[in-house]
Amino acid sequence: MSKKFLITGITGFAGPNLAKLLIQEGHEVHGIVRTANGREMDLLDILTVEELNAIKFHYVDLRHYYGVSKVLHTEKFDGVFHLAAQSHPPTSFKDPILTWAENVTATVNLITALEGTYTRFMFCSTSEVYGDACKDVGLLTVDTPLSPSNPYGASKAAMDLYVQERTQNGFLDGFVTRAFSHTGPRRGKIFSISSDAYQIALMKLGKQEKVLKVGNLQTERVVVDVRDCVKAYYMLMMNPESKGKVYNVCGDTVHKMQHYTDLLIEAAGFSLSEVEQRIHQPFYRPIDIQVQIGDSSNLTNLTGWKPTISHKQTMTDLLDFWVKKLS
């Protein structure tokens, strides 16, 4: 049965990948964009022209309650995927006020406007809410206490708990996803892995010498493809039993960040010895999380979800994305 969904953050990273999936599944898709500045056309690096034309855009600043309320009460969506956020941890150290406005005020506005309706609400939280707890407790489960290590993680933890409270007290039909590291086509170059892909694409095009600026490649992460990640969001949205619960979205194979950098170098057709990897201090976080390994068993048990796209394919597609964009 076709449903009507709203995606906040549709012009971001995961948003267009989710929109593509929803359209392919036969649903009506709406997206929120802050201003009519033409950014919608950027989505053509993920969507076809037909898919882009199928989306109805609403121009609303999520930090302003009445605009949010008007859209939600006028359109009456079956579900809202709340992906919009200031999601870059280093930026959250530089501008915590912006981070809390984007991640807390905006989310409270959405939840308040949805209270008492029959619209399902997915809050996109993050593994950053756990901070560096993995080194003490091992596998991170949805019951692991939250201990964020940066303002971004703290802002997400606040709303993560608020969605749980609103749902438990009967004000909202909501659930929380805590996505662990994910990457793929359209990931911004300010983020790890994609920063490497951007530089390596420049090397492949002959626009940069083979010197790669890197951060701490010894930290360990479980990384999944963004297309697998949004599939988990969709499967949870379509299952009413997800109501009121929290789900980690992650794979089960952990690697040092060096692994992903090496795959990108090889995807470009270079040998590892051809590319000099040089530590670039600005790429280090003030407080870094050394390892994150999550347990997504409740997601798998409920929906049957598991990652299907290999790291090699993800890195190849990410590199191809940047090569095409820079050509």
Side-chain angles (χ1 to χ4, degrees):
M1 182 182 296
S2 177
K3 292 185 180 292
K4 183 177 179 180
F5 292 117
L6 175 68
I7 302 172
T8 74
I10 196 167
T11 57
F13 167 46
N17 286 285
L18 175 59
K20 189 177 190 74
L21 172 62
L22 295 178
I23 292 168
Q24 290 175 344
E25 293 290 331
H27 301 294
E28 180 180 341
V29 177
H30 293 236
I32 285 200
V33 181
R34 184 170 297 169
T35 57
N37 58 10
R39 283 193 64 194
E40 304 92 325
M41 298 305 295
D42 291 344
L43 302 183
L44 289 172
D45 55 22
I46 297 295
L47 305 174
T48 65
V49 172
E50 292 76 17
E51 289 167 340
L52 180 64
N53 289 338
I55 299 171
K56 181 176 180 180
F57 293 98
H58 303 272
Y59 300 98
V60 178
D61 188 331
L62 295 176
R63 296 170 297 182
H64 300 158
Y65 174 76
Y66 292 103
V68 172
S69 180
K70 181 179 179 181
V71 170
L72 293 178
H73 291 157
T74 299
E75 294 290 348
K76 301 187 186 305
F77 299 102
D78 293 297
V80 173
F81 293 90
H82 181 33
L83 309 184
Q86 191 304 96
S87 58
H88 189 229
T91 297
S92 74
F93 280 106
K94 295 176 183 177
D95 198 342
I97 294 175
L98 170 69
T99 299
W100 279 74
E102 298 280 359
N103 298 352
V104 174
T105 301
T107 305
V108 170
N109 286 343
L110 282 165
I111 291 171
T112 303
L114 287 175
E115 287 182 0
T117 72
Y118 294 98
T119 302
R120 302 207 75 211
F121 181 74
M122 188 208 86
F123 176 64
C124 186
S125 186
T126 169
S127 60
E128 293 279 345
V129 300
Y130 297 118
D132 210 8
C134 197
K135 63 181 175 55
D136 298 319
V137 303
L139 197 66
L140 299 170
T141 74
V142 294
D143 297 318
T144 300
L146 308 189
S147 56
S149 299
N150 53 63
Y152 163 63
S155 69
K156 282 291 192 175
M159 291 299 93
D160 187 315
L161 294 172
Y162 187 55
V163 171
Q164 294 181 62
E165 180 273 318
R166 291 286 85 186
T167 303
Q168 291 164 6
N169 286 327
F171 291 96
L172 184 72
D173 178 3
F175 63 95
V176 175
T177 58
R178 294 176 184 160
F180 282 61
S181 297
H182 53 290
T183 194
R186 200 173 162 82
R187 186 59 158 167
K189 65 181 179 181
I190 63 173
F191 293 93
S192 60
I193 300 179
S194 194
S195 169
D196 294 351
Y198 171 78
Q199 295 178 74
I200 294 168
L202 288 173
M203 295 175 200
K204 189 171 182 179
L205 294 169
K207 298 180 180 181
Q208 177 177 317
E209 62 178 339
K210 294 185 178 68
V211 176
L212 181 64
K213 296 178 180 178
V214 298
N216 184 356
L217 297 183
Q218 298 310 302
T219 58
E220 298 178 84
R221 296 289 186 273
V222 175
V223 177
V224 299
D225 192 288
V226 64
R227 293 161 290 191
D228 278 329
C229 191
V230 299
K231 184 66 177 294
Y233 298 165
Y234 173 64
M235 295 172 81
L236 288 167
M237 178 64 78
M238 297 299 287
N239 193 319
E241 293 183 25
S242 64
K243 180 179 179 179
K245 299 185 178 73
V246 178
Y247 299 88
N248 287 335
V249 181
C250 58
D252 54 11
T253 305
V254 64
H255 293 281
K256 290 184 177 181
M257 296 301 286
Q258 184 72 62
H259 166 76
Y260 307 105
T261 299
D262 290 349
L263 286 177
L264 285 167
I265 293 171
E266 291 170 347
F270 302 138
S271 68
L272 297 182
S273 61
E274 277 185 87
V275 178
E276 178 188 349
Q277 298 176 37
R278 188 178 296 172
I279 297 295
H280 186 54
Q281 198 60 40
F283 288 177
Y284 271 82
R285 298 182 188 180
I287 302 173
D288 209 352
I289 296 169
Q290 293 305 307
V291 60
Q292 280 191 336
I293 311 172
D295 171 23
S296 58
S297 58
N298 65 338
L299 166 61
T300 299
N301 292 339
L302 180 65
T303 67
W305 176 88
K306 62 179 181 179
T308 60
I309 302 173
S310 70
H311 289 157
K312 183 176 180 180
Q313 187 64 55
T314 300
M315 297 305 126
T316 299
D317 292 348
L318 175 58
L319 180 64
D320 287 347
F321 165 80
W322 278 117
V323 169
K324 291 175 183 176
K325 197 169 187 66
L326 293 167
S327 296

